[in-house]
Structure formats: structure tokens, C-alpha cells
Amino acid sequence: IVYWTFGDVGRTGWDQIGMLAAALAVMLAYFQANAWNYNAISNGTATASSLGVNVGTVLITGMFAASLLSSIAVAFVGAISFVGLIAPHLARRFVGNDHRQLLVASAFTGAILLIGAEVLSRTVVSPSILPIGAITSFIGAPVFHDLSQRWVAQMVEKTQAGALPAGTLCVRHLAFAYGRRTLWSDVCFEAHAGAVTAILGNNGTGKSTLMNC
């Protein structure tokens, strides 16, 4: 029961590691091939559809691939909580929101987090070994709580009386790319009702794409 509830990487052998590595390589290649689609979807499903992305197919296929990879990992090591939930948010702080870098960074961040948790589980109360899931929960719960509090604080700050006048369009840290070509990143601006807002730039710099977003 403890094994399936908290997980244990010590029970895996090289055969299981090889199968996991092969599954990860295939799935990561798939997600990297669709990184542009995920960048488009992150700007809204309507925007992604206008750019030619089959949103329904991409989302369903992505969820199936992620679920398959997760089920293979859980079958070998049990359920280790918070790794897949916290790693992408931590990676995003270092590489930003571009999925071309974020996907790989999330995989490495999750691996580092899991290795660190395994080391702690074997050394904190040595020679006894703590369940690795208890360590990841101990690390992940406060981090997830901090992320949630930051998000709530940002929402409250934006919606407080006088923070943003009625009819204000607020854009923060918007990025967009066509394939490997980044049109713009970290775009922040506010457009107020009744005011004239001009977007200036050379041809092909993404002015119309920004308006569609």
C-alpha cells in the first residue's frame, strides 16, 4: 500500500528504466513537434483556430499522450505526487512560456526534483528510508500554495477599485512565435476605453497577429 501510495524508485531495474526512457523520448518528440501549436493555444483557442491549429485534436491527443506516459511511470514506481504539477511552474520561471524550451526544461526540472527527493528520503532519517512521495509532497505543497497565492494576489490587485479603470484591456507577458521564428515576447501594455492606442512596427513584425490575440 505504501509503495503504490507514495511511490518508490528503488524497485525499478534497468529494463524498466529503458522502457521509461523510450516512452519519454517518443512522447517528448511528439510534444516538441507540437510546441508551436501549444504556443498558439496558450493565447486562446480562438486565436489558435484562426492560425490553423486543430485545437480539439491537439488537446485530445496531447492529453492521451501525457496520460499514457504517466501511467507507464506509475506502473513502475507508484504514484509520486506533485512532480508533474510543480516542475512546469518552476521551469517557467527560468525559461519563460515558450513551449519549445518549456517542455524540455520541465522534463529536466522534474528529474532533478525527483533525484533530490530520493536523496533526501534516504538520508534524512538514515538508515531508515522515508517514502519518496512524502518528500515530494513536503516540497511541492508549499510551492503549489505559494503559486496559488501569487496568482490570487495578482487577480485581486488587478480587480481592486481604481487598479484598472472600467473598460481597460490589460496585457501582461504575451509572447508569440511562428515555428522557430519568435515575433515578439514579453509584451505588456494597457489600452483604455476612450483612448487611442497605436501599434507601430515594420511589416511582418506581428502587429495584426497581436490584434488577433
Side-chain angles (χ1 to χ4, degrees):
I1 295 176
V2 173
Y3 168 71
W4 288 111
T5 304
F6 293 100
D8 183 5
V9 298
R11 297 191 180 189
T12 56
W14 286 110
D15 291 338
Q16 289 84 1
I17 293 174
M19 294 178 63
L20 281 171
L24 176 62
V26 172
M27 298 303 178
L28 192 58
Y30 165 78
F31 284 116
Q32 279 296 114
N34 285 275
W36 183 87
N37 293 332
Y38 292 120
N39 281 341
I41 292 173
S42 66
N43 290 311
T45 56
T47 299
S49 297
S50 69
L51 294 172
V53 178
N54 190 332
V55 176
T57 300
V58 171
L59 292 179
I60 293 175
T61 307
M63 286 189 289
F64 175 80
S67 299
L68 179 61
L69 183 60
S70 299
S71 63
I72 295 173
V74 171
F76 291 146
V77 302
I80 302 176
S81 57
F82 284 102
V83 176
L85 185 64
I86 298 301
H89 292 285
L90 294 177
R92 185 174 284 110
R93 294 193 174 189
F94 296 99
V95 301
N97 295 319
D98 191 335
H99 287 78
R100 291 172 297 176
Q101 290 83 39
L102 181 59
L103 290 166
V104 177
S106 296
F108 277 103
T109 303
I112 294 171
L113 179 61
L114 192 61
I115 292 172
E118 174 68 7
V119 171
L120 287 176
S121 70
R122 294 179 179 272
T123 57
V124 170
V125 290
S126 181
S128 299
I129 300 177
L130 294 174
I132 187 173
I135 302 296
T136 57
S137 298
F138 183 79
I139 298 173
V143 174
F144 182 69
H145 180 265
D146 178 67
L147 291 172
S148 301
Q149 291 298 107
R150 287 174 181 268
W151 183 82
V152 171
Q154 290 176 356
M155 294 300 102
V156 171
E157 181 181 353
K158 290 180 180 180
T159 56
Q160 282 179 340
L164 288 177
T168 297
L169 172 64
C170 180
V171 176
R172 293 289 183 267
H173 309 296
L174 185 65
F176 194 85
Y178 284 108
R180 297 184 177 181
R181 179 191 174 195
T182 300
L183 289 181
W184 26 260
S185 61
D186 202 29
V187 174
C188 303
F189 67 88
E190 293 179 5
H192 301 281
V196 177
T197 302
I199 301 177
L200 305 178
N202 296 328
N203 291 334
T205 56
K207 300 186 298 299
S208 298
T209 301
L210 177 61
M211 294 300 296
N212 289 330
C213 291

